[in-house]
Amino acid sequence: MNIRNLIAEHIKSAMKAAGVPSKFQAHVAPSKNPKFGDYQANGAMAAAKGLKMNPRDLAQKIVDHLTLDDIASKIEIAGPGFINIHLDHSWLAHHIANISNDDRLNIAKKTAPQTVVVDYSAPNLAKEMHVGHLRSTIIGDAIVRVLEFLGDQVIRQNHVGDWGTQFGMLIAELELHMSEGEQAELALKDLESFYKQAKSHFDSDEAFANTAREYVVKLQSGDAKILKLWQQFRSISLSHNQEIYQTLNVTLNNDHVCGESFYNDDLPVLVEELKEQKLAQEDQGAQVVKLAELANKEGEPSVVIIQKNDGGYLYSTTDLAAIRYRVNHLKAQRILYFIDDRQSLHLKQVYTLARKAQFVPKETSLEHHAFGKMLGKDKTPFKTRAGGTVKLADLLQEAVERASNVIQGRENFSEQEMQTIANNVGIGAVKYADLSKTRTTDYVFDWESMLSFEGNTGPYMQYAYARVCSVFDKAEIDMDKHISTITIDAPQEKDLAIKIMRLPEIIEQVADDAYPHTLCSHLYELASAFMTFYEACPILKSDVSAEQKASRLQLSKACAKSLKLGLNLLGINVMRKM
Ligand code: ARG
């Protein structure tokens, strides 16, 4: 249950009863300071201004009509017309006890679920996945999990780069290797060096370059032999990516691949349509669209080329075709793109043009959820020591190795257990470090801080979960059994309960705005609230009454379940012991 919305609904009906027109919002938010209650409704001020009334008088009128029943113990008006709501302790205690036995914490699915297409990861298949693909992959996957949890029908679209001129060169190289008896899998084991070989052949060997060019044409005209080589290359490259997704605990699989090549047949049709609609016009042999909507300061329209003068199509053309497919075939109501901020203009052009051409109905929302770069400690884009791009496979392997060093000797774990913990901690650290930063800014990738057990880090969050579990182990109580009702007396108990109660609000917010750091921050506050609670409110000490012990255990259990749910929604595993 989303308590904030529940309160807002009650305030709205009180506003209505007080004669406030429905265009005025309740504006309910959590209070920053417990002195002012747990929630504040700030809508009276704006409404009073609009209605030319005294804001405190209007606030009073709203409160007179407000029924929050047993949810609130006190409602007061403060300052110029804030309505402060203090939650009732026994209501809160009852609510937490109720949700604490359910793994979903009774968080309801949406009453109006949507079909949402999420475009994320989308590496270029000519090369191996590198750090540049990390952010899209893990941010996109976290949002996918959140949306699915809330009941949306999510369709993942991995818009891989599997077409274009470079494939001519790569196929020519592959053919060369295979003609020498080498297996395709072996030749493409290291895509990075394969690409380099192909490129140097292309640059130094005229005959090879000609073959490569010829293969591009053959590929485009559907030559069976060339297509077969291309498919071989494509499928091996995809299987490399699949290994990365597995290691990263990302939910993408081969069924979600719908790359650039998928739209080939639609491209000429699409260009024709844009011509018919008089949106596209010829310019020096190319087909271009001029968008006055995106004009620059000088008033010059933004120019999008949709077909080159040699007949070739572009990145934008494919993206337009993809939008059409997503709207018409996938029936998307929302389309989310997780692509870095350097492609903002590209997406603006594509969205504007797609709307103009009526490929997208008004109600369908097109959303670019952009993000910044991953930087090294020197604040320049993250590179290897030698200055090259960092392969994702190497980065993840290093993460697990480093995690294994950090946890070495912490407890007596078997070899097998150690491996699992190192995996979860290493991968969790990399993911959490990224997800916990506001995605729109660049961030510094720093091994030491992300693997620290202190602060807002993956290991700290996983450890907080294990810590709660250890209380149950010490008490020799099965966390999965119902233990007790809850009573809330100490302020630390209340604080913890409130943080648990707010989780659905946060999850719904993330589903709306696709900023996962909000969830990280909330989980961090929750974990910290547990540590404070545990210090102030002993559970296992001998002078604690049996009822109090049981109540506090039940509250701790709700906390553990919240941490687990929240981290799982971010794609991070928790462990009972670490
Ligand atoms: N392959 C592209 C790249 O590596 C990303 C594709 C993102 N998705 C899209 N629909 N344009 O930059």
Side-chain angles (χ1 to χ4, degrees):
M1 183 160 46
N2 182 330
I3 306 303
R4 176 181 165 165
N5 286 355
L6 185 71
I7 293 175
E9 274 165 35
H10 283 275
I11 301 263
K12 272 293 265 188
S13 30
M15 286 169 85
K16 191 173 170 204
V20 178
S22 63
K23 66 172 179 193
F24 293 105
Q25 299 301 311
H27 291 301
V28 174
S31 304
K32 299 238 157 51
N33 183 336
K35 239 183 30 205
F36 303 125
D38 302 303
Y39 284 92
Q40 289 187 336
N42 305 333
M45 274 99 66
K49 200 171 168 207
L51 301 170
K52 304 208 167 36
M53 282 175 77
N54 173 313
R56 273 193 79 105
D57 289 348
L58 181 60
Q60 186 59 55
K61 263 180 116 177
I62 296 170
V63 170
D64 290 343
H65 287 100
L66 184 61
T67 45
L68 280 172
D69 301 329
D70 47 357
I71 299 181
S73 60
K74 193 164 73 177
I75 301 170
E76 4 167 68
I77 298 169
F82 296 108
I83 300 171
N84 294 344
I85 293 145
H86 298 256
L87 295 177
D88 183 74
H89 284 199
S90 52
W91 175 84
L92 183 59
H94 188 73
H95 173 72
I96 301 295
N98 249 338
I99 61 172
S100 59
N101 291 311
D102 179 36
D103 287 340
R104 288 183 62 96
L105 295 141
N106 281 356
I107 298 175
K109 297 200 172 180
K110 291 185 187 175
T111 43
Q114 289 181 299
T115 300
V116 187
V117 165
V118 185
D119 180 318
Y120 69 112
S121 194
N124 184 340
L125 296 189
K127 294 190 182 178
E128 227 152 292
M129 282 181 82
H130 58 81
V131 288
H133 301 116
L134 188 63
R135 302 206 73 187
S136 173
T137 307
I138 62 191
I139 300 172
D141 203 55
I143 301 305
V144 159
R145 288 171 190 259
V146 167
L147 295 172
E148 274 182 345
F149 176 74
L150 292 179
D152 281 329
Q153 203 223 326
V154 177
I155 306 175
R156 296 160 177 78
Q157 291 285 281
N158 195 354
H159 191 87
V160 297
D162 60 353
W163 201 250
T165 46
Q166 51 195 347
F167 284 93
M169 170 185 101
L170 293 164
I171 292 166
E173 181 72 23
L174 182 59
E175 189 185 37
L176 205 65
H177 281 255
M178 290 172 72
S179 72
E180 284 161 9
E182 200 178 347
Q183 293 284 323
E185 278 79 9
L186 204 65
L188 299 174
K189 207 168 165 312
D190 185 339
L191 267 187
E192 216 51 39
S193 55
F194 184 86
Y195 186 93
K196 281 192 194 125
Q197 279 171 34
K199 182 85 175 80
S200 89
H201 265 144
F202 187 85
D203 292 337
S204 63
D205 181 341
E206 191 59 31
F208 180 89
N210 285 335
T211 312
R213 284 189 206 104
E214 182 193 319
Y215 283 5
V216 177
V217 179
K218 283 193 170 169
L219 186 60
Q220 278 162 353
S221 60
D223 179 284
K225 179 185 136 205
I226 299 303
L227 265 181
K228 194 165 167 232
L229 280 165
W230 168 76
Q231 264 150 2
Q232 230 166 341
F233 184 95
R234 184 179 182 274
S235 93
I236 293 170
S237 179
L238 283 172
S239 70
H240 287 312
N241 295 354
Q242 201 46 49
E243 274 174 41
I244 302 266
Y245 296 145
Q246 216 117 28
T247 313
L248 260 183
N249 185 24
V250 155
T251 59
L252 283 170
N253 65 42
N254 275 332
D255 296 341
H256 308 128
V257 173
C258 191
E260 295 182 0
S261 67
F262 179 81
Y263 302 100
N264 284 347
D265 294 344
D266 193 36
L267 304 181
V269 183
L270 188 135
V271 170
E272 218 33 62
E273 267 187 48
L274 291 178
K275 286 205 292 212
E276 266 163 40
Q277 290 199 41
K278 304 261 184 295
L279 287 167
Q281 41 182 281
E282 200 184 308
D283 189 339
Q284 297 166 46
Q287 289 297 328
V288 305
V289 178
K290 294 187 178 157
L291 296 169
E293 293 83 349
L294 301 176
N296 63 11
K297 282 195 218 87
E298 284 71 45
E300 293 154 348
S302 177
V303 177
V304 192
I305 306 175
I306 53 168
Q307 189 171 22
K308 292 189 286 189
N309 58 9
D310 67 2
Y313 302 100
L314 293 104
Y315 188 45
S316 303
T317 331
T318 313
D319 258 323
L320 283 166
I323 287 197
R324 286 223 291 200
Y325 174 75
R326 291 164 184 185
V327 169
N328 296 339
H329 292 266
L330 303 179
K331 310 277 176 235
Q333 294 168 286
R334 254 183 110 181
I335 313 179
L336 316 188
Y337 292 76
F338 290 89
I339 311 180
D340 74 60
D341 52 17
R342 288 167 305 180
Q343 294 194 24
S344 294
L345 176 63
H346 162 73
L347 287 172
K348 259 193 208 145
Q349 292 176 326
V350 168
Y351 294 171
T352 308
L353 182 47
R355 294 231 184 253
K356 269 186 108 161
Q358 289 177 340
F359 293 161
V360 191
K362 261 200 207 68
E363 324 72 80
T364 307
S365 114
L366 300 173
E367 306 168 29
H368 177 202
H369 297 292
F371 46 84
K373 284 183 284 297
M374 225 167 104
L375 306 176
K377 268 187 159 173
D378 60 355
K379 306 269 169 70
T380 66
F382 193 73
K383 290 264 159 65
T384 58
R385 272 208 200 112
T389 33
V390 180
K391 285 192 205 174
L392 216 37
D394 295 344
L395 182 97
L396 299 181
Q397 192 187 344
E398 182 167 355
V400 176
E401 275 162 18
R402 283 182 181 257
S404 152
N405 292 338
V406 171
I407 56 181
Q408 208 62 250
R410 275 176 80 90
E411 256 190 80
N412 268 338
F413 290 118
S414 71
E415 189 70 22
Q416 173 84 42
E417 285 168 326
M418 270 305 275
Q419 196 52 50
T420 310
I421 299 173
N423 260 317
N424 288 338
V425 172
I427 300 300
V430 170
K431 290 175 98 171
Y432 194 88
D434 196 311
L435 295 167
S436 59
K437 313 286 187 315
T438 312
R439 65 170 155 72
T440 40
T441 50
D442 295 347
Y443 79 98
V444 174
F445 186 92
D446 174 31
W447 287 116
E448 271 95 73
S449 66
M450 79 175 70
L451 280 163
S452 163
F453 276 83
E454 273 156 49
N456 190 13
T457 67
Y460 173 81
M461 298 305 307
Q462 287 168 323
Y463 174 68
Y465 175 78
R467 176 101 187 257
V468 191
C469 295
S470 79
V471 176
F472 283 82
D473 290 346
K474 275 197 208 116
E476 294 180 357
I477 287 178
D478 180 357
M479 192 154 72
D480 296 323
K481 286 220 182 85
H482 175 70
I483 309 159
S484 160
T485 53
I486 296 177
T487 13
I488 292 175
D489 294 316
Q492 295 86 353
E493 288 173 322
K494 175 160 182 204
D495 187 44
L496 180 59
I498 295 247
K499 300 254 152 65
I500 295 168
M501 183 203 73
R502 290 202 57 213
L503 188 62
E505 293 168 27
I506 306 291
I507 294 176
E508 285 175 22
Q509 186 183 333
V510 174
D512 265 7
D513 65 17
Y515 277 101
H517 77 276
T518 327
L519 179 53
C520 297
S521 307
H522 185 73
L523 294 176
Y524 180 55
E525 282 179 26
L526 176 63
S528 310
F530 176 80
M531 303 295 182
T532 312
F533 152 82
Y534 191 53
E535 238 162 66
C537 306
I539 301 178
L540 303 176
K541 289 212 176 109
S542 54
D543 55 349
V544 178
S545 74
E547 285 105 72
Q548 200 157 51
K549 174 177 166 183
S551 160
R552 287 176 178 170
L553 279 171
Q554 189 73 24
L555 182 57
S556 306
K557 169 174 160 177
C559 171
K561 291 213 167 180
S562 306
L563 288 172
K564 179 173 179 182
L565 173 65
L567 289 169
N568 287 347
L569 289 177
L570 295 167
I572 295 172
N573 289 334
V574 292
M575 299 139 278
R576 294 191 57 107
K577 278 195 170 81
M578 66 181 273

